[in-house]
Amino acid sequence: MKLFISFEGLEGSGKSTQVGLLGSRLKEEGIETLVTREPGGTRIGELIREITHGRENVDLTGVAESYLMSASRAQHVREIIKPALTANKIVVCDRFLDSSLAYQGYGRELGEETIWQLNTLAIEGVLPDLTFFLDVSPAMGFARRNGTKKIDRLDLQQKDFYQRVYEGYKKLAEKYTERFVVIDGTKSVEEVAGIVWEQVKSKIKNQRSNTHIKE
Ligand code: TMP
């Protein structure tokens, strides 16, 4: 079963919890699944993550940050995502290209198109089949993650930065309706997981009927 699923949203949207839950559910169903994240997911990607998240790196420019995210993605697609899809696995990824479009394109105001172009080499034509956007406003996201994790460089951005990222995500969801599923992230963990599972199940069913594999 070849399927690429990404989760997107602001910090505090509950995305990582849902990535974990979906990964476990798929494995319970006996479906070969790979759970991964960006930036990171590879040795080099994790090194890049140390730079992008390091609190001391306040001098990192928006352009350099964009290249680093894209470099991490290039390594990730080549080493992890493509081989897993080729091996007919389901890939569940905590953030992918849309994070760059939202954070660097809109948040840093470098432009969606510019960031898309900067990522074309990195993604090697690989795009998610399904993208869950967990819709939680910046204010709610802030409130939720307060005290729950170590504050990193990206948490130190101004409020208007997160507002632009949030608006950016909404634009992306409206533009790429064929793969985006917007879920009200203020619902309970169980409710969100239920909606996610229904969507994934129907995608799997469709794929199976397209490839004429019996359930
Ligand atoms: P997270 O692992 O807590 O989601 O943190 C990832 C951070 O990196 C988050 O602030 C969003 C940011 N990010 C970008 O700015 N651009 C990207 O392309 C990716 C993948 C993440």
Side-chain angles (χ1 to χ4, degrees):
M1 176 58 48
K2 182 189 288 188
L3 201 58
F4 182 19
I5 303 168
S6 63
F7 280 78
E8 296 286 352
L10 295 175
E11 290 87 337
S13 60
K15 162 182 76 48
S16 305
T17 304
Q18 294 300 330
V19 166
L21 289 173
L22 177 62
S24 310
R25 181 76 196 254
L26 287 165
K27 286 174 192 165
E28 275 169 26
E29 299 284 330
I31 299 172
E32 276 210 273
T33 305
L34 181 109
V35 175
T36 185
R37 70 167 182 187
E38 287 198 355
T42 63
R43 187 183 66 82
I44 304 231
E46 293 297 328
L47 291 174
I48 292 173
R49 189 182 176 94
E50 282 177 27
I51 302 173
T52 59
H53 283 52
R55 279 187 73 158
E56 68 284 11
N57 295 331
V58 283
D59 47 343
L60 183 66
T61 70
V63 174
E65 179 186 70
S66 305
Y67 278 109
L68 287 173
M69 296 297 181
S70 175
S72 167
R73 186 161 301 124
Q75 202 74 31
H76 198 202
V77 167
R78 181 65 68 89
E79 266 188 63
I80 306 284
I81 298 177
K82 256 194 160 174
L85 292 173
T86 306
N88 278 325
K89 291 186 184 166
I90 294 194
V91 176
V92 181
C93 195
D94 192 341
R95 300 191 179 280
F96 191 64
L97 173 67
D98 299 300
S99 279
S100 283
L101 300 176
Y103 282 77
Q104 282 67 53
Y106 287 96
R108 302 277 182 230
E109 299 181 293
L110 294 173
E112 185 187 327
E113 191 49 43
T114 306
I115 298 301
W116 183 278
Q117 281 172 15
L118 199 142
N119 274 275
T120 48
L121 263 181
I123 63 171
E124 299 187 29
V126 175
L127 277 175
D129 301 294
L130 199 51
T131 298
F132 292 106
F133 169 50
L134 304 194
D135 187 344
V136 156
S137 70
M140 172 69 109
F142 267 111
R144 276 202 188 172
R145 73 177 195 270
N146 243 348
T148 59
K149 73 167 208 177
K150 215 169 93 230
I151 300 297
D152 59 39
R153 184 186 64 87
L154 286 140
D155 291 317
L156 298 172
Q157 307 305 315
Q158 299 299 317
K159 284 218 165 68
D160 57 344
F161 169 80
Y162 286 106
Q163 190 57 39
R164 286 195 299 273
V165 173
Y166 181 58
E167 302 295 335
Y169 267 133
K170 292 209 279 194
K171 283 187 196 147
L172 295 171
E174 277 167 28
K175 192 165 171 183
Y176 302 108
T177 47
E178 71 292 350
R179 68 179 168 89
F180 259 89
V181 175
V182 182
I183 303 178
D184 177 356
T186 63
K187 288 183 190 288
S188 73
V189 170
E190 294 73 25
E191 274 180 293
V192 174
I195 299 169
V196 166
W197 183 241
E198 283 310 311
Q199 293 283 336
V200 171
K201 249 189 354 198
S202 94
K203 201 81 181 175
I204 291 175
K205 222 171 155 189
N206 277 345
Q207 272 220 6
R208 284 191 170 141
S209 60
N210 286 341
T211 48
H212 308 289
I213 296 170
K214 283 201 186 113
E215 273 196 81

